[in-house]
Amino acid sequence: MPCLTPAYRAVRPLLFQFQPETAHGLAFACGRAFQSVPGGTSLLATLAGAPAPDLAREVCGLRFPSPVGLAAGLDKGAELLPLWKALGFGFVEIGTITPRPQPGNPKPRCFRIPEEALILNRMGFNSEGAEVVARRLDRRPAGLIVGGNLGKNKLTPDEGALDDYRAAYRLIAPRVDYIAINVSSPNTPGLRKLQAPEFLKPILEGLLELRKELGLERQPLFVKLAPDLPFDELDAIVEAIAASGISGLIATNTTLDRGIVSDRNRARVEAWGDGGLSGAGLYGKARAVRNRILDRLPKALAFQACGGIGTAAQAAEALSDGAALVQVYSALIFEGPGLVGELNRGLAARS
Ligand SMILES: Cc1cc2nc3c(=O)[nH]c(=O)nc-3n(C[C@H](O)[C@H](O)[C@H](O)COP(=O)(O)O)c2cc1C
């Protein structure tokens, strides 16, 4: 019963009257209300349609009901897990979660360009902190794979990054199915520098050690990369990751490249200031990065494709390029909750 998309198209003009963060707050309030009403999520699940059984797949020892997942940043605090499951997502990456709470950057810090299905954000890891999110995860629903995306606090100096990742890992890892290390947000000063092998290697070693100490050896660990790395640097990073013993890679995060915005909107975007761009125009760049990575990544490591994916054809293309899973964020904002069912049905029809 695919009626969610027309319903969203009807309310979208009203929702987009509000600033993105206000609209986000309203949508989350509705989501929380839906979750608290008995039968609310079951109704939603009926409207959205469950993923076809043959979409299920095993990746890194985990059984994903669908390869379509929600990318990090939308549900940073794991507030709407039952709702995401009802919409048909096979998995959700929560976060980015920082060890200690922090407010993120001053507002406004998120902007949309609806006619290009693009978003600019400089949220800067607004996070309730790992303790609050860990408590919420204790009540997570069954039947949905949850990844925990971890970051460092803004005020932590670069040399303290490993301690931050370890502090967040200790609280979050025992409560999720996989962990993603975010070293690619452009909105925390210096963070992307940590992608370089000389910084990345000790972070991964330190986390693998902690994983062992906590008895979580079988839990997959991923690193999330930016789309803006020169290919020679990207190659060295992929080599270091392949040698590190972690499970795989997620690419990509948002881009700093204003070239993905059309000429007529470029000045407007420049005027908004700093931040990373995501959405439709990122697809080509993210695909080029993914194919560069997949050409070099040993087959034993898993790859999650992210960046500009908004149609079943693009999701199918990412999977046939060699991705094990796909993640979406911006397209959900522009297309609405019916997108998940559309992607699932489109992938099932192609399989
Ligand atoms: C408003 C906003 C906030 C985001 N916050 C995070 C975050 O906290 N951590 C993260 O790893 N990625 C974050 N992202 C990046 C997305 O997870 C994704 O990598 C990026 O948006 C590209 O995918 P898309 O084109 O499907 O949106 C954010 C994206 C947006 C639009």
Side-chain angles (χ1 to χ4, degrees):
M1 206 193 302
C3 63
L4 287 173
T5 300
Y8 187 73
R9 290 217 173 110
V11 299
R12 199 183 93 152
L14 181 66
L15 202 60
F16 279 17
Q17 292 291 315
F18 297 98
Q19 290 225 342
E21 268 199 83
T22 312
H24 175 91
L26 285 171
F28 264 55
C30 288
R32 277 190 292 268
F34 239 103
Q35 284 185 173
S36 65
V37 174
T41 44
S42 321
L43 171 68
L44 207 54
T46 310
L47 294 175
D54 55 357
L55 283 183
R57 60 194 54 209
E58 196 165 307
V59 179
C60 299
L62 298 171
R63 184 88 182 146
F64 289 75
S66 155
V68 179
L70 178 63
L74 188 60
D75 193 359
K76 290 178 190 276
E79 291 184 79
L80 297 183
L81 297 180
L83 184 114
W84 306 127
K85 183 186 166 196
L87 289 180
F89 277 116
F91 67 107
V92 173
E93 196 168 298
I94 59 163
T96 292
I97 305 155
T98 53
R100 292 165 299 289
Q102 64 175 29
N105 287 325
K107 295 177 188 174
R109 52 192 180 177
C110 192
F111 309 84
R112 25 173 144 71
I113 313 165
E115 65 272 28
E116 293 188 43
L118 282 176
I119 295 176
L120 174 82
N121 96 82
R122 53 168 173 274
M123 303 299 290
F125 292 170
N126 49 312
S127 173
E128 295 171 284
E131 264 179 45
V132 171
V133 181
R135 256 182 273 130
R136 211 172 276 136
L137 284 169
D138 287 337
R139 300 187 304 272
R140 60 174 273 199
L144 173 76
I145 297 286
V146 178
N149 177 308
L150 308 182
K152 77 175 214 18
N153 281 102
K154 185 179 177 182
L155 295 178
T156 303
D158 292 348
E159 50 290 5
L162 173 58
D163 291 339
D164 263 20
Y165 286 112
R166 284 170 67 101
Y169 188 97
R170 217 174 252 290
L171 284 162
I172 301 298
R175 295 169 168 90
V176 294
D177 302 299
Y178 75 83
I179 287 288
I181 299 304
N182 185 359
V183 281
S184 49
S185 166
N187 303 314
T188 294
L191 190 83
R192 285 182 162 203
K193 206 173 73 186
L194 303 179
Q195 294 175 115
E198 66 268 32
F199 296 110
L200 192 57
K201 274 187 199 163
I203 290 175
L204 298 182
E205 276 163 22
L207 287 170
L208 287 172
E209 214 173 80
L210 179 60
R211 183 172 78 164
K212 195 165 173 210
E213 189 188 311
L214 297 178
L216 295 170
E217 290 96 328
R218 295 164 70 90
Q219 183 180 74
L221 183 62
F222 285 83
V223 170
K224 184 167 176 182
L225 295 179
D228 302 323
L229 293 154
F231 277 172
D232 56 336
E233 284 177 33
L234 180 64
D235 294 349
I237 294 166
V238 172
E239 202 180 308
I241 285 173
S244 70
I246 70 160
S247 319
L249 274 169
I250 304 167
T252 69
N253 212 313
T254 57
T255 181
L256 290 172
D257 179 2
R258 295 320 188 232
I260 71 164
V261 182
S262 73
D263 290 344
R264 69 178 187 289
N265 284 316
R266 190 83 49 78
R268 195 163 130 219
V269 171
E270 297 290 355
W272 286 334
D274 292 343
L277 285 161
S278 58
L282 176 57
Y283 184 78
K285 199 178 172 75
R287 185 173 188 223
V289 170
R290 125 172 128 236
N291 283 335
R292 183 78 184 191
I293 293 173
L294 284 166
D295 277 350
R296 284 154 182 81
L297 199 68
K299 294 284 165 273
L301 276 81
F303 181 82
Q304 301 196 37
C306 185
I309 296 172
T311 64
Q314 289 170 333
E317 185 170 63
L319 295 172
S320 79
D321 284 344
L325 301 164
V326 297
Q327 301 188 351
V328 296
Y329 184 148
S330 301
L332 191 69
I333 306 302
F334 296 108
E335 297 302 319
L339 176 72
V340 193
E342 281 167 22
L343 294 177
N344 280 335
R345 282 188 290 277
L347 285 176
R350 284 168 173 80
S351 62

